[in-house]
Amino acid sequence: MVPAGVHYFYFVRDQGTIFLSPNYEVIRFKSTNIFLNRIVVGKRLMDIETVHVAKNDDDIEPVFMKDRSVFKDYREDTHGFLERCFEQDFEFSKIPRTMKKGSNAEKELKEIKELLFENYVRIHNIFDFYSGSSAYPTLSMNDFTSFANTTKILDGEVINLAALDLILVAACVSHH
């Protein structure tokens, strides 16, 4: 399905050869030497029917039925599964490297891990949101800055944009 409006397209064969369809209008694209097929898609005149309608007296309400959807084989995350994922993510992180060595280092690291795990699902959802609008599976500097502004990490006093740059660069340096 495509939204209503004018759409331009072409086809690509398995060897990378581009070709046009004779079944659709062929036009020169915006005064260039590029030719494309054009299709005009009208607005949908009828609503799409729901899969299932539950009847409660006179109320009719569409109901999502997971077992009849494309998500029927999806497994919900269990606590144990999330713990294993968190441990793997933490192992890949550079948090221990950023901490000062001292007598309380192990205790502080344990407290950090507990705090992060409490918010692990939220953190993962935030990453999915920003990576979905970026160059997945990474976050660009612009995404990180947007996140820092939205969450008010950038306060201009303790952490300004220059400090945030240094933090990101220090966290991204690889010591292999």
Side-chain angles (χ1 to χ4, degrees):
M1 260 193 201
V2 293
V6 178
H7 298 276
Y8 302 93
F9 65 95
Y10 57 88
F11 297 98
V12 180
R13 288 195 174 99
D14 54 359
Q15 298 296 320
T17 307
I18 296 172
F19 66 98
L20 301 175
S21 170
N23 299 333
Y24 297 93
E25 179 183 11
V26 177
I27 57 103
R28 181 185 298 266
F29 187 71
K30 296 184 179 180
S31 302
T32 65
N33 289 330
I34 299 171
F35 290 91
L36 297 171
N37 284 125
R38 178 171 67 178
I39 187 170
V40 178
V41 178
K43 291 183 180 178
R44 185 171 14 98
L45 301 176
M46 298 171 53
D47 286 334
I48 298 174
E49 293 183 31
T50 56
V51 174
H52 181 266
V53 176
K55 296 179 181 175
N56 281 345
D57 298 331
D58 55 356
D59 291 340
I60 297 176
E61 177 182 324
V63 176
F64 173 75
M65 297 175 67
K66 181 181 168 195
D67 61 325
R68 297 179 72 189
S69 74
V70 296
F71 301 105
K72 68 181 177 191
D73 296 326
Y74 177 77
R75 292 187 327 238
E76 297 289 330
D77 295 337
T78 63
H79 186 75
F81 179 74
L82 288 173
E83 282 179 338
R84 288 194 315 270
C85 291
F86 173 77
E87 288 300 326
Q88 187 69 58
D89 285 342
F90 195 82
E91 190 177 310
F92 288 126
S93 78
K94 298 172 179 117
I95 293 171
R97 270 199 352 230
T98 62
M99 297 178 58
K100 291 182 180 177
K101 306 289 187 239
S103 59
N104 291 338
E106 289 299 317
K107 181 182 175 209
E108 286 179 12
L109 187 61
K110 183 180 179 202
E111 290 173 358
I112 289 170
K113 283 179 81 170
E114 288 172 359
L115 181 65
L116 286 173
F117 185 71
E118 280 178 32
N119 297 287
Y120 184 63
V121 172
R122 279 193 197 119
I123 293 168
H124 197 273
N125 289 339
I126 291 167
F127 175 80
D128 284 347
F129 171 80
Y130 280 100
S131 66
S133 60
S134 185
Y136 182 82
T138 61
L139 296 180
S140 69
M141 185 59 186
N142 288 343
D143 298 317
F144 187 64
T145 304
S146 172
F147 169 74
N149 280 323
T150 302
T151 56
K152 297 183 176 45
I153 291 172
L154 286 174
D155 60 2
E157 295 173 21
V158 177
I159 301 210
N160 58 20
L161 197 54
L164 188 70
D165 273 350
L166 288 174
I167 291 167
L168 183 66
V169 169
C172 290
V173 170
S174 181
H175 293 281
H176 293 287

